[in-house]
Amino acid sequence: MFLNKKNIQLTILSLAFCMMMGISCNKQEKVDLKWPETTETTHPWARWWWMGSAVNKADLKAVMKNYKAHGLGGLEITPIYGVKGTEDQFIEYLSPEWMDMLQFTLNEAQKLNLGIDMDNTAGWPFGGPWVASDDESKSVFYKTYALKGGETLKHPVQFEQKPMARAVRHRVSIDDIKEPISANDDLQEMALGQVVFPKQLPLKALVAYSDDGKTVKLIDKVDSTGHLSWTAPEGNWKLYAVFEGWHGKMVERAAPGGEGFVIDPFSKKALQDYLKPFNQAFKGYDITYLRAFFNDSYEVDDASGEADWTPEFFKDFEELRGYDLRDYLPALFGKSNKKENERVIADYRETISDLLLDNFTLNWKEWADKKDAIIRNQAHGSPANILDLYAASDIPETEGYEPVKIKFASSAGHVSGKPLISSESCTWLDEHFLGTLAEAKKTVNRFLLNGVNHIFYHGTTYSPPDAPWPGWLFYAAVDFSPSNSFWDDFAALNTYVTRIQSFLQKGKPDNDILVYYPIFDYWSKPGKHLLQHFDGSGGGREKSDFFILVDSLMKQGYTLDFISDRQLEQTKVENGKILTNGLDYKTVILPECSYIPLSTLKKLSGLAKNGAKVIVHNDLPESVPGLANIDKRQNTFDKTVNQIKFTSTENEGFKKADVGKGLFLLGNNLQSMLSTVGIQQETMVDDSLHFVRRSSSQGEYYFIVNKGTSSVTKWIPIQKGGTSVAIFNPQTGIFGMGKQRHTDNEMEVFLQLKPGEACLLNVFNKAVSASKNYPYYQPKGTSLALDGNWNIEFIKGGPTLPKQVSVSNLTSWTHFDDPGVKAFSGTARYTITFPKPEGNADAWTLDLGQVHQSARVKLNDVYQDTLISTPYQVNIPDSILKPENTLVVEVSNLMANRIADMDKKGIRWKKYYNVNFAAKLQENRDNNGLFDASQWEPRSSGLLGPVKLIPLKEKIFESNQ
């Protein structure tokens, strides 16, 4: 090129600009942009209920092909209660016939590249007919007696457990139940939930406590009749007798052959005994294709009483906590002074947590390892530090809706280096038959934005293809089943999820902050029961201070993970970063709390000495938890705290202590302290853009969703910037190089996201280019309403297909003259012809207006998109439009109208054992408390519009943008 003066000046200016912006002026590297490769794991999976295990090979093969064709990547087999009238097809759980069906399923799944997991029980939680009395879940009971010096106990030391029986949706008497449970003839019909037979309970401890602090163990002085041979010495004595009882919890929603008592989850022997029938059943079968065994949450506590004991508890406690709990029974039961009560109950709960981790979770994982399988575990609801239980799992799995709760599973997975974090998604999303793909998408986004990258729908039911509509259904689901009228559009949701997970399963999590989980504050808090159950809210059932703190940080755009005491012990420091299993964090926050283990305090101090930055919210803890060696431990604790010398910082609102190579910061202004240690918020949250972030060797991945009510069309700053960025649209599949700029050492990306829309950013740490750029459009000109006659043909569904109609004004098809439309659930094809709009546009937004509920769009025989949520819009290149055009929109409604019609007419479709058929909302329950849609009015259905075309012009960016 001839370099005249002007060219030389431009070159110098360009070089100066590049240097100022920190951009390489070398030739950009060409990259081949494309969506990441997909596998069965990047596709969403679903829980797959086998009702009564009434499956057969021909139908298994057919339905699995259907699942695969509609975008599922795998299935989790969960046998469940049966369908009435199909008893001759029931298959006993783990029988040779059942194993034949499992083997066939694994073989066919392998051919289809469908992954398979299986529940480790027939319902939930672990239990069954082979669980012997000594392996059942246990409860602790106690009695007290008072004696004065010289007195003997007149009454026998005995406790007879009161009988009780509870069944699902009907009353049952203990007198009608045989012992053992397996001796009862029709357990499917009985649907037992909890059974306790009247029994004299074994005495586990008898201890006398005097007013002046003496303790005497007396259990060896009690004979078989309960008579105590002991005369009280001088003084006043209180006797505590501890008895071991049966909790009586039964397997919930059990499949035939799986009915029985739940195991004691704190006993290693109980779990090993429980797994023996699986070992026997698997002999002679090749189950190597089975990926994982699954545990569907703890859920022992949702019964009368508490499963709060195990036969070896006194021995286990002494080994783990270092003292004999029998010396402190008054404190265990909340009858000592406040401090002793708090310390002993904390030790009791920590022991329960240790037993659940070591004797159940790790023991179960070891068993699965020997089967060349992994475990997928729902830890929430457990009376334990669920961070440790999740971390012990190969795939931690969460459920629920609150981001903080979801973060417990994803945090544990991140900190422990697990590549996959799964979620039970869309459980009870709405009332039956009202759950939409739009709501499912919204729910899935919530999981993905909080660290989940392996979606499991809850769920789909095996149903023979020839079963009368609506087929076989589970009682608590969104019915992701072929009978659902949205089934043909389900693939669009699955494609969306697959595209996102193809990125979120790459690289590794990229969060800045570790937040210590102060479990001992919750363990030290007495309550109505000995146990506390942790569902992810932070402490018990209430939203804790911890929950409120981390929820606030997340909403401000900070990225974080939670960490437990055990997990913190495994961390180390390099170059000022806190390292754990391949991840690095910039700081750890110690929330305000009263109790923290001495080992944890020392670890935090050690991390700081090696260069870490530790932030203390409000104040340091006051004490170590627990009772053993309390004076010695507290003295060391106080010395450790006193070594952290805080000084005030000028105008910063916090205190600072230099500790070795690192520091402690203390105060209530977290934002200021985080800024001091080099952590900034992702300010996109101010525009209602929620995000999750992952790093790769080439840069950064962002998944971003507009959760606001307004469109975002602006430059958005990102904290983990690079040099170039590509944008991927998971709804449309469109991708290309995006517009980015650098200002004040910050990268900004130009984003256009309508409410509910999402995108993925692939941020490169070097300058790259690609063959295509991401399209940016802006409206230009007047929109055109597609007025005229719409031909409407009902093409699929029932109970019957309404007649074809032609309308000029779009409205719900339930308003049409044909009386059959009010009961119709299915799909209608809307067709209209229109001339090409006048004007010069680069593209057009086809806006369908209101749609109930999903729509497949074709223009001039070219498929455009399947729209499952607002905005029901698709951008269409101008080149597709012809002088005369034909638009076809196939709209599917919900199952609700057809179900309501069946209930109005008394047509029997609710034909299930156990739960037949539960409603979520009170207003949809009949006199028996079961689901009834007979009072429903027809729900809006079809294309309501208005339908219009909006002209678009490609957005031109100025040279300084």
Side-chain angles (χ1 to χ4, degrees):
M1 179 179 68
F2 177 74
L3 293 179
N4 57 25
K5 184 177 180 182
K6 182 177 180 181
N7 288 334
I8 293 173
Q9 289 174 335
L10 287 173
T11 301
I12 293 172
L13 287 171
S14 297
L15 288 169
F17 177 78
C18 290
M19 293 175 65
M20 181 180 66
M21 294 292 107
I23 301 172
S24 171
C25 292
N26 295 329
K27 184 178 180 180
Q28 292 180 328
E29 179 181 331
K30 194 80 169 179
V31 293
D32 181 20
L33 277 189
K34 58 184 177 181
W35 286 95
E37 290 186 8
T38 62
T39 66
E40 64 268 24
T41 309
T42 58
H43 286 260
W45 291 33
R47 185 161 303 166
W48 191 21
W49 292 289
W50 284 11
M51 305 201 82
S53 294
V55 299
N56 65 75
K57 294 179 179 179
D59 289 345
L60 280 170
K61 186 174 184 177
V63 298
M64 290 169 72
K65 283 184 177 179
N66 200 354
Y67 292 143
K68 177 69 176 182
H70 283 77
L72 291 180
L75 299 159
E76 169 220 301
I77 299 169
T78 297
I80 211 74
Y81 56 83
V83 180
K84 293 183 177 181
T86 65
E87 293 81 2
D88 60 336
Q89 301 172 47
F90 286 0
I91 301 176
E92 292 284 303
Y93 184 53
L94 295 185
S95 66
E97 187 180 1
W98 195 92
M99 286 302 305
D100 286 344
M101 293 299 131
L102 175 62
Q103 184 71 77
F104 178 83
T105 300
L106 292 172
N107 294 343
E108 288 300 309
Q110 189 168 16
K111 295 175 187 175
L112 293 168
N113 289 323
L114 272 174
I116 297 290
D117 293 352
M118 69 171 280
D119 198 350
N120 237 140
T121 187
W124 69 87
F126 285 13
W130 58 87
V131 176
S133 176
D134 58 339
D135 288 338
E136 294 174 26
S137 58
K138 302 295 191 298
S139 296
V140 65
F141 299 90
Y142 76 99
K143 277 186 176 181
T144 60
Y145 310 89
L147 292 176
K148 294 180 179 179
E151 293 182 343
T152 59
L153 191 63
K154 307 297 184 185
H155 305 288
V157 183
Q158 292 179 336
F159 193 109
E160 181 171 333
Q161 189 165 6
K162 293 181 180 179
M164 65 91 66
R166 182 175 57 84
V168 181
R169 299 295 179 187
H170 68 95
R171 293 185 179 276
V172 63
S173 169
I174 192 68
D175 297 330
D176 298 329
I177 303 173
K178 300 174 186 177
E179 187 179 9
I181 290 295
S182 58
N184 294 275
D185 292 332
D186 195 352
L187 290 172
Q188 284 288 291
E189 185 67 48
M190 294 177 79
L192 299 174
Q194 189 174 13
V195 177
V196 177
F197 294 104
K199 291 181 181 180
Q200 288 290 339
L201 301 186
L203 180 67
K204 303 299 289 186
L206 180 63
V207 184
Y209 304 87
S210 70
D211 285 348
D212 57 359
K214 296 186 179 69
T215 303
V216 182
K217 295 182 175 68
L218 299 171
I219 192 169
D220 59 345
K221 299 182 183 300
V222 181
D223 66 19
S224 60
T225 67
H227 174 70
L228 172 64
S229 299
W230 181 71
T231 302
E234 183 179 351
N236 296 315
W237 296 82
K238 191 78 170 285
L239 279 64
Y240 277 76
V242 175
F243 302 88
E244 178 180 284
W246 286 266
H247 181 235
K249 167 84 174 189
M250 302 281 292
V251 177
E252 290 193 45
R253 321 306 181 214
E259 305 97 336
F261 287 108
V262 166
I263 67 166
D264 171 2
F266 314 121
S267 165
K268 185 174 184 179
K269 172 187 175 298
L271 181 70
Q272 290 176 336
D273 288 347
Y274 173 74
L275 294 172
K276 288 177 182 177
F278 290 89
N279 295 335
Q280 186 63 35
F282 292 160
K283 286 181 179 179
Y285 293 92
D286 179 9
I287 63 165
T288 54
Y289 188 71
L290 182 73
R291 183 189 69 161
F293 294 99
F294 173 63
N295 174 41
D296 188 4
S297 70
Y298 181 79
E299 296 198 41
V300 183
D301 59 311
D302 57 348
S304 177
E306 290 274 308
D308 52 14
W309 198 252
T310 190
E312 300 297 318
F313 189 78
F314 282 129
K315 177 177 73 68
D316 294 335
F317 184 95
E318 189 164 4
E319 290 176 355
L320 291 166
R321 303 283 82 83
Y323 66 96
D324 191 339
L325 181 59
R326 289 168 292 192
D327 291 335
Y328 296 93
L329 293 178
L332 174 65
F333 299 115
K335 304 301 181 182
S336 184
N337 62 73
K338 180 177 182 294
K339 280 297 180 185
E340 192 166 83
N341 289 345
E342 289 180 353
R343 294 187 178 280
V344 171
I345 196 64
D347 283 337
Y348 162 83
R349 290 167 176 168
E350 185 181 7
T351 303
I352 285 288
S353 183
D354 290 343
L355 295 178
L356 191 55
L357 173 63
D358 295 332
N359 290 349
F360 180 85
T361 309
L362 292 175
N363 194 14
W364 174 43
K365 176 174 167 49
E366 182 180 349
W367 173 83
D369 287 342
K370 293 175 181 177
K371 300 285 187 288
D372 293 323
I374 60 177
I375 62 170
R376 217 179 86 240
N377 185 33
Q378 294 186 355
H380 45 274
S382 302
N385 192 330
I386 59 176
L387 285 174
D388 294 330
L389 300 187
Y390 279 134
S393 312
D394 296 297
I395 303 178
E397 177 161 302
T398 185
E399 62 177 310
Y401 298 96
E402 291 179 317
V404 173
K405 294 185 180 183
I406 297 168
K407 286 290 290 184
F408 272 84
S410 63
S411 293
H414 294 165
V415 168
S416 60
K418 303 301 190 300
L420 296 175
I421 295 97
S422 60
S423 62
E424 175 189 306
S425 311
C426 308
T427 310
W428 278 123
L429 189 60
D430 202 326
E431 186 59 90
H432 271 288
F433 316 113
L434 298 181
T436 67
L437 292 174
E439 282 299 314
K441 178 183 174 183
K442 183 178 178 181
T443 299
V444 164
N445 281 342
R446 187 181 295 112
F447 284 114
L448 297 173
L449 288 168
N450 289 287
V452 168
N453 61 358
H454 189 22
I455 293 293
F456 272 77
Y457 298 120
H458 186 283
T460 187
T461 309
Y462 166 91
S463 183
D466 61 353
W469 195 89
W472 298 358
L473 302 173
F474 186 62
Y475 80 94
V478 188
D479 309 315
F480 293 106
S481 300
S483 61
N484 200 311
S485 43
F486 66 41
W487 179 250
D488 288 339
D489 298 335
F490 182 42
L493 174 63
N494 295 332
T495 298
Y496 173 84
V497 175
T498 301
R499 287 169 175 157
I500 298 167
Q501 291 189 158
S502 71
F503 272 102
L504 297 186
Q505 290 177 16
K506 288 163 60 72
K508 58 185 181 180
D510 184 9
N511 296 322
D512 292 325
I513 304 166
L514 286 169
V515 184
Y516 169 73
Y517 180 40
I519 186 72
F520 286 93
D521 269 30
Y522 312 124
W523 279 344
S524 301
K525 184 178 179 180
K528 286 176 59 180
H529 304 288
L530 291 178
L531 294 182
Q532 285 182 322
H533 299 273
F534 294 87
D535 64 354
S537 61
R541 302 295 186 185
E542 301 298 323
K543 287 191 171 104
S544 63
D545 292 340
F546 173 84
F547 183 105
I548 295 168
L549 171 70
V550 295
D551 184 53
S552 173
L553 288 172
M554 291 162 64
K555 287 176 178 176
Q556 292 177 61
Y558 292 106
T559 59
L560 54 84
D561 283 319
F562 314 148
I563 192 166
S564 72
D565 297 274
R566 284 176 183 260
Q567 293 159 3
L568 195 62
E569 284 294 329
Q570 305 305 312
T571 62
K572 60 182 181 179
V573 180
E574 287 183 10
N575 300 320
K577 300 288 185 67
I578 303 169
L579 307 185
T580 170
N581 287 294
L583 303 183
D584 58 79
Y585 297 84
K586 293 181 178 179
T587 190
V588 58
I589 294 177
L590 176 59
E592 184 176 14
C593 56
S594 298
Y595 293 103
I596 190 173
L598 177 60
S599 58
T600 301
L601 180 64
K602 286 184 173 181
K603 181 66 179 183
L604 290 170
S605 179
L607 290 173
K609 287 176 182 177
N610 288 319
K613 304 170 185 67
V614 179
I615 292 176
V616 181
H617 187 223
N618 287 336
D619 208 349
L620 284 164
E622 302 168 356
S623 179
V624 293
L627 189 63
N629 302 315
I630 179 60
D631 292 336
K632 181 180 179 181
R633 289 188 297 123
Q634 187 63 42
N635 184 50
T636 306
F637 179 92
D638 293 338
K639 288 180 180 178
T640 305
V641 168
N642 291 334
Q643 290 172 359
I644 306 173
K645 305 294 185 180
F646 285 103
T647 58
S648 296
T649 55
E650 224 177 294
N651 301 321
E652 295 290 349
F654 58 82
K655 296 179 180 180
K656 178 183 176 182
D658 292 317
V659 179
K661 298 177 183 177
L663 54 82
F664 275 75
L665 301 179
L666 183 150
N668 60 12
N669 190 336
L670 280 173
Q671 188 170 9
S672 180
M673 290 188 286
L674 288 168
S675 178
T676 298
V677 300
I679 298 173
Q680 301 298 324
Q681 304 129 286
E682 292 279 7
T683 56
M684 68 175 75
V685 297
D686 296 336
D687 291 296
S688 297
L689 299 182
H690 292 221
F691 70 96
V692 68
R693 203 170 65 193
R694 293 179 73 87
S695 64
S696 74
S697 59
Q698 295 183 334
E700 203 80 10
Y701 304 128
Y702 280 80
F703 171 55
I704 302 172
V705 179
N706 181 0
K707 297 187 74 173
T709 56
S710 302
S711 292
V712 171
T713 303
K714 62 187 297 188
W715 290 99
I716 298 296
I718 58 174
Q719 289 300 317
K720 293 300 179 79
T723 305
S724 303
V725 63
I727 302 176
F728 292 75
N729 186 319
Q731 172 64 44
T732 63
I734 294 172
F735 59 88
M737 297 303 298
K739 291 292 183 180
Q740 51 80 27
R741 68 183 184 185
H742 292 74
T743 58
D744 298 327
N745 297 318
E746 187 173 62
M747 182 177 185
E748 293 183 339
V749 180
F750 195 84
L751 294 182
Q752 293 180 315
L753 291 173
K754 295 167 185 171
E757 284 192 327
C759 71
L760 291 139
L761 303 185
N762 187 354
V763 182
F764 295 91
N765 53 23
K766 58 185 176 182
V768 303
S769 62
S771 59
K772 62 171 75 172
N773 292 323
Y774 191 78
Y776 294 96
Y777 293 110
Q778 57 189 17
K780 186 175 183 181
T782 305
S783 62
L784 171 70
L786 295 190
D787 295 327
N789 288 326
W790 289 86
N791 184 63
I792 305 173
E793 180 185 4
F794 294 88
I795 59 174
K796 184 178 180 181
T800 59
L801 293 178
K803 62 185 179 182
Q804 182 173 322
V805 297
S806 179
V807 300
S808 56
N809 294 315
L810 292 171
T811 185
S812 170
W813 71 51
T814 57
H815 297 156
F816 295 172
D817 292 336
D818 186 337
V821 294
K822 288 181 172 54
F824 178 76
S825 290
T827 304
R829 180 181 293 137
Y830 290 70
T831 305
I832 192 172
T833 59
F834 63 94
K836 182 175 181 179
E838 296 180 1
N840 184 21
D842 296 320
W844 302 81
T845 294
L846 174 64
D847 184 349
L848 299 182
Q850 288 190 61
V851 176
H852 297 281
Q853 291 292 325
S854 54
R856 295 186 297 279
V857 180
K858 284 185 179 181
L859 181 62
N860 296 331
D861 291 328
V862 178
Y863 171 77
Q864 299 299 316
D865 204 352
T866 298
L867 306 176
I868 61 174
S869 61
T870 56
Y872 289 93
Q873 297 176 345
V874 58
N875 287 348
I876 296 170
D878 182 70
S879 59
I880 290 180
L881 291 174
K882 301 177 181 179
E884 196 68 25
N885 301 275
T886 301
L887 174 65
V888 176
V889 184
E890 294 181 356
V891 181
S892 299
N893 70 338
L894 300 177
M895 301 171 76
N897 291 347
R898 188 171 177 182
I899 285 291
D901 181 66
M902 294 177 78
D903 278 354
K904 288 180 188 352
K905 294 175 179 176
I907 300 173
R908 181 176 176 265
W909 63 269
K910 291 167 277 193
K911 49 188 178 183
Y912 304 99
Y913 286 102
N914 200 284
V915 178
N916 189 34
F917 189 82
K920 180 179 182 180
L921 303 177
Q922 179 65 42
E923 59 265 29
N924 298 321
R925 296 172 189 163
D926 63 16
N927 293 334
N928 297 316
L930 298 176
F931 176 84
D932 178 27
S934 62
Q935 302 304 311
W936 286 3
E937 293 296 323
R939 260 60 179 184
S940 290
S941 302
L943 178 61
L944 277 63
V947 181
K948 56 187 176 182
L949 283 170
I950 303 169
L952 303 174
K953 294 293 289 184
E954 185 177 352
K955 180 175 174 56
I956 304 301
F957 290 84
E958 301 297 331
S959 58
N960 63 345
Q961 289 186 313

